[in-house]
Amino acid sequence: MQSLQVFSVTPKLPPEIESLWKLAHNYWFAWNNKITTFFEQIDPQLWRESYCNPVWFLNHVPQSLLQSLAKDDLFRDRLDVLTKELETYLAKPYPDRFKSPDPGQPVVAYFSLEFGVSLCLPIYSGGLGILAGDHLKSASDLNIPLVGIGLAYGQGYFRQYMTPDGWQQERYPDYDFEQMPLSRALNSEGAPALVHLSIGDRPLTAAIWEARIGRVRLFLLDTNLPENSQDFRLITSRLYGGNLEMRLWQEILLGIGGVKALKVLGLEPRIIHMNEGHSAFAGLERIRVLMKEQNLPFEAALEVSASGSIFTTHTPVPAGNDRFPPELMQQYFEPYARDMGLAFKVFLALGREVPQDDRESFCMPVLALRLSRFNNGVSRLHGKVSRHMWQKVWNQLPVDDVPIGHITNGIHPPSWVAPTMGLLYERYLGSDWRENPDTQKVWGMADNIPDTMLWRVHTHLRERLVDFVRLRLRDQLIAQGARSQEVMEADQILNPEALTIGFARRFATYKRANLLLQDKESLLRIISNKDMPVQFIFAGKAHPADQGGKQLMKELITLCRSKEFRMNMVFIEDYDMDVAAHMVSGCDVWLNNPRRPLEACGTSGMKAMFNGVLQFSTLDGWWDEAWKPDNSVGWAIGKGEDYSDPDYQDFVELKTLYKVLEHDIIPDFYDRGRGELPRAWVARMKRAIAELGPRYSSHRMVEEYFTKAYAPGLKSHFDLCADNYAPARELSEWRMNIMTRWSDLQIKDVVISRKDVVHVDDPMTVEANVFTAGIPLEHLKVYIYAGPVGQDNSFIQRCLFTMEPVEGMHDGWQKYRGQVRAQEAGRFGFTVQALPVHPLLPNEYSLGLVRWASA
């Protein structure tokens, strides 16, 4: 028998403590330890059961205890202080440089398929989601007018458990949004907001949940509604669940539904930031809305939308990007294309690297690249990899000129610095280290921390980690039906004083979680050393469909459970934000050995670094730009070599890994002076915090997005919207005119005046004749493209030297002249190139057009 009606009953908080709801309904608690400690002290056991969810927690605190707390003067005083701190934080006005030109409106809408904000909002799977959560938190601390758009997954990402033989299994809890720090978003009339859209020829309705992330609002779409068909209700059931068609439905909901949700909520951000290709349909929907509401042609609407669109790619391998077959796209987007006035073949070309290839699938990152004017990878190396990956989108440009830059990721220190380490920072870096945007000034003061105090706090965190691991392992063994002897041994595994090395991340094969295992003899020798003991802690999840990743995990767990290794090597199940927080703060060394260059960034190492944990990694992702050859901030596996044979790469880097471990890391850790203090080790910890802290904070990252992308995008967007979109129409017409004429443009008769012997920095004059094909000179930029070259005469590096028109034009030919200088000795080459330019075009490479001099 089912209930006729269902509704939620909440506890009746006494008026004296009713402000508990304010603290519970803002995720500021996720990076404010004073608030979480305050809740925990009410009932520690119930708090652990809640997964640090204050709403569920308050809903389960006995009414009698609430009445008692209301009479407790000390409790009420602490509650008043915390409530006022939250209110003060929220009331801070926007800085002038971040103020929205539209009062009351956000400037940026940040789209992401996952967000890792808190343990009690399980809509994340790994680094991409955690990065998105940290982005929102730093935007809140920096007080940037930004909102987030995502999906409300009723079962989230899977929870992990292991069979007795070490094979990963998945379970999917059903989450109750009413029991989470979420509320129904309301429309302008005060009613629950609903989004209506079509997927193919079928209607879909989505509710909108709102999460308060400090000063930032995060809106999550939910399709689990009675008015939807059963298959559509499952769209927001699981993160990365279902087949390819389900993934397409989710991305339609995120992109198209997300833009519609903003409109329903009365929000009009001028900038959209697409975090990975999943949200690329947002750019399409913005174009469609501009065409319908402003009567713009497609080309002009694209210019307006793209001017205010930012795309961040996170995936360094083509196979990791979403691609949909043409027939699936036709099923769901042919009417959509028709509504935009586009032939379906033209529509498909927007998502193809080679637009003319009718067999090519529709690629979401390609769509995002074409619909954005600012594109970036998430580390310096990843930017380079991305330019190679997506060169076909700008097939006329050399790789170095492909308009994909980089903004290296960062992490949100207040979320990831352990509470005891945070107190140390408060004492020596200043009380406002959590919010101060001047990261250079803050983290540069790490040298002020006394060595003994830093080591004492770090030792405490290692001990805390060992206690945590023992409890988790004990629970794991009991759940697996282990023998009582094994359960008892869980209380004795690991050594709180031993060198502790952590490895925790997604178990994708390229991350090589099993690299250590390929030399078991060396591994056994290391962990069996009684004088200098070493231990390893592992955690991570494999995608449910990744059988290779699951096999790696099984091999690792089998070794960890073996007689020789089980006291010194542990695998912790169900990797989540809580496990990560303990590991990144309690380990001594953070091990990361992906196959270069397949790690886009790798933010777990940054979290460890902010806690004084030293890095030991291949030169990939962020560590490629952070590591120093003197090993003063951590150690490298190899020197950034590139290998064509992955097996040989594994062999070489395995030998290097053990050599550095045995000859550098382990001896350094146990090199103790007076007071048993490893002074050289502590010096490395402090140097890493001081030098790397400013560079890898998400405050720096968000500031960089604002400076490089949000602010220029906003200016470009408003420039195109002026005078009823007249500049946008002009730019689109200019672009079509350029595309028509460009193939006729020619560069000939290139001559250089130089000495017989050229020395470094000698000026050389270059002249060239350019047939302009009727393109006005103010819309042409001609450069000497020069630099050192290899044996095959290809450029190793390049610099651009501007050429100016000289003399008059004759029969459409214009002479250009410029000077070039060689900055270094060696083989030097040059050519001449022409590019189209327009004052409304933010990047002269964005059209992908270039003409080179012919011999």
Side-chain angles (χ1 to χ4, degrees):
M1 177 63 67
Q2 290 186 319
S3 173
L4 183 63
Q5 291 187 18
V6 177
F7 48 89
S8 297
V9 178
T10 58
K12 187 175 183 180
L13 294 185
E16 299 90 341
I17 59 172
E18 202 167 15
S19 57
L20 279 169
W21 287 124
K22 280 188 179 179
L23 299 181
H25 275 95
N26 192 307
Y27 280 93
W28 194 46
F29 65 74
W31 68 99
N32 189 314
N33 187 61
K34 290 187 290 185
I35 295 177
T36 53
T37 301
F38 181 64
F39 280 115
E40 182 180 18
Q41 290 174 347
I42 295 174
D43 186 332
Q45 179 60 35
L46 188 65
W47 181 251
R48 283 192 292 273
E49 291 176 15
S50 76
Y51 284 97
C52 304
N53 178 349
V55 171
W56 186 95
F57 177 77
L58 289 177
N59 283 332
H60 289 78
V61 172
Q63 193 70 36
S64 58
L65 179 54
L66 294 174
Q67 296 292 346
S68 173
L69 293 172
K71 298 175 183 177
D72 186 329
D73 292 341
L74 180 59
F75 182 86
R76 292 201 312 269
D77 289 345
R78 289 179 63 200
L79 176 59
D80 288 345
V81 169
L82 291 173
T83 303
K84 287 175 182 174
E85 284 185 13
L86 174 61
E87 291 170 347
T88 301
Y89 178 87
L90 297 178
K92 187 176 180 180
Y94 291 129
D96 286 342
R97 66 195 180 109
F98 292 158
K99 280 184 179 175
S100 170
D102 306 312
Q105 289 288 341
V107 172
V108 182
Y110 185 93
F111 287 72
S112 183
L113 202 58
E114 52 176 300
F115 286 91
V117 175
S118 166
L119 189 67
C120 66
L121 187 61
I123 56 171
Y124 64 93
S125 71
L128 176 70
I130 300 298
L131 180 279
D134 284 1
H135 195 108
L136 297 192
K137 292 173 183 177
S138 277
S140 172
D141 287 341
L142 296 171
N143 211 2
I144 292 178
L146 177 148
V147 296
I149 300 290
L151 303 185
Y153 303 103
Q155 294 184 327
Y157 198 53
F158 72 90
R159 306 308 299 256
Q160 178 195 60
Y161 69 98
M162 298 298 173
T163 62
D165 66 347
W167 192 258
Q168 174 182 288
Q169 297 291 302
E170 299 87 29
R171 61 184 178 87
Y172 292 89
D174 289 312
Y175 295 107
D176 183 355
F177 297 145
E178 300 282 356
Q179 295 282 338
M180 298 165 72
L182 299 171
S183 58
R184 294 278 188 179
L186 305 178
N187 61 23
S188 57
E189 298 173 355
L194 294 174
V195 177
H196 301 283
L197 65 155
S198 296
I199 292 189
D201 57 359
R202 298 170 60 192
L204 174 68
T205 301
I208 308 174
W209 294 91
E210 179 178 346
R212 296 277 179 164
I213 318 297
R215 302 175 178 118
V216 165
R217 292 185 290 171
L218 169 61
F219 298 104
L220 304 171
L221 279 64
D222 175 17
T223 64
N224 187 19
L225 303 175
E227 50 264 55
N228 289 327
S229 61
Q230 185 58 37
D231 56 345
F232 275 7
R233 293 183 70 165
L234 296 177
I235 290 176
T236 55
S237 175
R238 297 177 180 179
L239 173 60
Y240 303 133
N243 57 18
L244 193 64
E245 185 175 42
M246 176 61 77
R247 176 66 65 85
L248 180 59
W249 291 355
Q250 289 184 332
E251 296 184 0
I252 291 171
L253 177 63
L254 176 64
I256 296 175
V259 171
K260 287 178 177 290
L262 291 169
K263 189 170 184 64
V264 167
L265 296 168
L267 302 176
E268 298 180 3
R270 304 305 181 107
I271 302 294
I272 62 168
H273 187 165
M274 296 176 282
N275 189 42
E276 197 49 280
H278 309 127
S279 50
F281 291 138
L284 275 181
E285 179 64 8
R286 291 226 301 175
I287 293 170
R288 192 192 68 82
V289 170
L290 283 164
M291 293 174 69
K292 296 295 181 183
E293 295 185 356
Q294 305 301 329
N295 197 30
L296 291 177
F298 172 79
E299 292 79 9
L302 186 151
E303 294 295 346
V304 174
S305 176
S307 69
S309 295
I310 288 92
F311 170 53
T312 299
T313 175
H314 293 259
T315 310
V317 288
N321 293 280
D322 287 338
R323 295 175 186 267
F324 301 109
E327 55 273 14
L328 187 63
M329 290 298 297
Q330 185 172 14
Q331 181 180 349
Y332 291 106
F333 277 94
E334 193 167 36
Y336 192 91
R338 194 182 309 119
D339 189 47
M340 298 177 73
L342 295 180
F344 188 65
K345 188 172 181 178
V346 174
F347 177 89
L348 285 179
L350 293 171
R352 286 174 166 160
E353 294 177 74
V354 181
Q356 301 81 15
D357 185 356
D358 293 338
R359 299 167 298 173
E360 185 182 337
S361 294
F362 189 92
C363 180
M364 295 297 285
V366 171
L367 177 65
L369 290 167
R370 286 218 166 93
L371 301 186
S372 303
R373 290 291 175 262
F374 183 90
N375 305 297
N376 70 284
V378 290
S379 69
R380 182 179 62 195
L381 180 59
H382 181 233
K384 179 181 178 181
V385 170
S386 298
R387 288 189 287 277
H388 279 272
M389 271 181 63
W390 304 116
Q391 185 186 13
K392 286 183 181 178
V393 179
W394 295 273
N395 62 358
Q396 294 186 25
L397 299 180
V399 170
D400 288 344
D401 294 334
V402 168
I404 302 176
H406 79 274
I407 292 179
T408 302
N409 283 343
I411 65 102
H412 186 245
S415 293
W416 295 104
V417 169
T420 48
M421 187 67 77
L423 291 174
L424 190 68
Y425 288 162
E426 192 166 317
R427 181 172 180 180
Y428 291 99
L429 307 186
S431 59
D432 64 342
W433 70 268
R434 291 173 174 83
E435 287 185 64
N436 194 329
D438 190 349
T439 54
Q440 190 72 48
K441 177 182 176 183
V442 169
W443 299 106
M445 292 191 290
D447 285 336
N448 297 337
I449 304 173
D451 291 358
T452 52
M453 296 196 70
L454 180 60
W455 187 245
R456 190 181 305 145
V457 169
H458 178 69
T459 300
H460 160 73
L461 291 172
R462 189 192 316 113
E463 293 168 348
R464 184 185 78 144
L465 171 62
V466 170
D467 286 341
F468 174 80
V469 170
R470 287 171 174 173
L471 286 171
R472 288 292 289 252
L473 181 60
R474 184 183 180 90
D475 291 342
Q476 288 173 202
L477 291 170
I478 292 172
Q480 292 166 4
R483 293 181 296 109
S484 58
Q485 181 66 29
E486 289 183 77
V487 176
M488 291 175 61
E489 283 183 355
D491 295 331
Q492 302 171 41
I493 60 103
L494 302 182
N495 176 355
E497 298 179 358
L499 172 62
T500 304
I501 300 175
F503 181 100
R505 53 193 35 87
R506 186 164 53 89
F507 266 66
T509 50
Y510 76 85
K511 292 180 183 283
R512 298 189 296 183
N514 66 336
L515 188 62
L516 276 168
L517 280 57
Q518 295 178 25
D519 186 354
K520 293 188 179 69
E521 183 179 335
S522 295
L523 182 58
L524 185 59
R525 182 174 64 249
I526 285 174
I527 69 168
S528 301
N529 188 331
K530 302 298 182 184
D531 297 325
M532 295 187 291
V534 179
Q535 57 199 14
F536 294 85
I537 302 174
F538 298 89
K541 293 179 176 179
H543 187 280
D546 183 1
Q547 302 305 311
K550 288 184 177 182
Q551 183 60 38
L552 289 182
M553 194 180 300
K554 183 178 184 298
E555 293 172 11
L556 176 62
I557 292 172
T558 299
L559 187 74
C560 290
R561 291 176 178 175
S562 66
K563 182 179 179 180
E564 298 90 347
F565 293 91
R566 67 186 179 202
M567 301 305 289
N568 304 88
M569 291 179 60
V570 182
F571 180 89
I572 300 300
E573 289 181 12
D574 205 20
Y575 185 46
D576 60 13
M577 292 179 75
D578 187 36
V579 174
H582 281 83
M583 289 187 65
V584 298
S585 61
C587 291
D588 298 297
V589 173
W590 197 253
L591 176 63
N592 187 29
N593 44 242
R595 244 187 224 109
R596 174 187 163 103
L598 301 180
E599 181 88 281
C601 186
T603 52
S604 63
M606 299 176 190
K607 301 178 182 79
M609 175 270 295
F610 273 100
N611 284 284
V613 177
L614 296 177
Q615 307 298 302
F616 183 32
S617 174
T618 49
L619 292 179
D620 201 4
W622 79 288
W623 196 236
D624 178 69
E625 60 192 74
W627 175 73
K628 294 192 170 184
D630 61 1
N631 294 324
S632 60
V633 294
W635 297 270
I637 302 171
K639 298 180 179 179
E641 301 92 341
D642 292 320
Y643 297 87
S644 57
D645 182 348
D647 292 331
Y648 181 68
Q649 180 176 2
D650 289 356
F651 172 78
V652 171
E653 293 180 347
L654 176 66
K655 296 300 180 185
T656 304
L657 188 158
Y658 276 108
K659 181 181 178 182
V660 175
L661 257 182
E662 295 190 82
H663 295 282
D664 295 327
I665 295 177
I666 297 172
D668 277 12
F669 183 82
Y670 286 104
D671 181 12
R672 307 294 172 95
R674 292 185 61 184
E676 283 296 296
L677 186 67
R679 295 194 178 276
W681 189 278
V682 174
R684 273 196 183 89
M685 293 169 65
K686 292 170 67 172
R687 197 171 296 121
I689 295 168
E691 295 183 14
L692 304 184
R695 294 167 58 188
Y696 299 106
S697 159
S698 56
H699 284 15
R700 183 276 311 158
M701 175 189 74
V702 173
E703 287 260 12
E704 200 170 339
Y705 273 112
F706 181 86
T707 303
K708 292 183 175 180
Y710 298 164
L714 190 64
K715 180 183 183 305
S716 179
H717 181 82
F718 276 110
D719 286 346
L720 291 176
C721 294
D723 299 327
N724 196 27
Y725 299 93
R729 297 174 192 272
E730 175 200 331
L731 181 60
S732 65
E733 291 170 3
W734 171 84
R735 178 176 181 148
M736 287 187 286
N737 183 50
I738 287 288
M739 300 289 279
T740 302
R741 296 175 179 270
W742 194 253
S743 61
D744 295 329
L745 189 139
Q746 299 176 58
I747 305 174
K748 289 187 175 182
D749 306 324
V750 178
V751 294
I752 184 168
S753 300
R754 62 178 178 82
K755 301 174 184 176
D756 291 338
V757 177
V758 179
H759 295 95
V760 171
D761 210 35
D762 279 353
M764 296 171 281
T765 300
V766 175
E767 292 184 349
N769 288 321
V770 178
F771 181 70
T772 64
I775 299 172
L777 297 189
E778 63 267 25
H779 291 156
L780 273 182
K781 201 77 171 180
V782 181
Y783 292 109
I784 306 168
Y785 191 100
V789 296
Q791 292 300 317
D792 61 353
N793 292 341
S794 62
F795 288 99
I796 299 171
Q797 296 175 342
R798 56 94 174 104
C799 290
L800 301 181
F801 300 85
T802 302
M803 302 182 75
E804 300 292 346
V806 294
E807 304 174 7
M809 184 178 294
H810 302 285
D811 298 325
W813 288 88
Q814 173 66 52
K815 179 173 283 189
Y816 280 80
R817 182 182 298 145
Q819 277 196 342
V820 60
R821 298 170 186 264
Q823 302 300 315
E824 301 288 344
R827 288 171 57 82
F828 184 83
F830 81 97
T831 185
V832 176
Q833 69 168 194
L835 299 166
V837 294
H838 192 285
L840 292 172
L841 202 62
N843 187 324
E844 58 194 22
Y845 292 107
S846 61
L847 294 188
L849 297 178
V850 62
R851 181 66 66 204
W852 299 96
S854 55

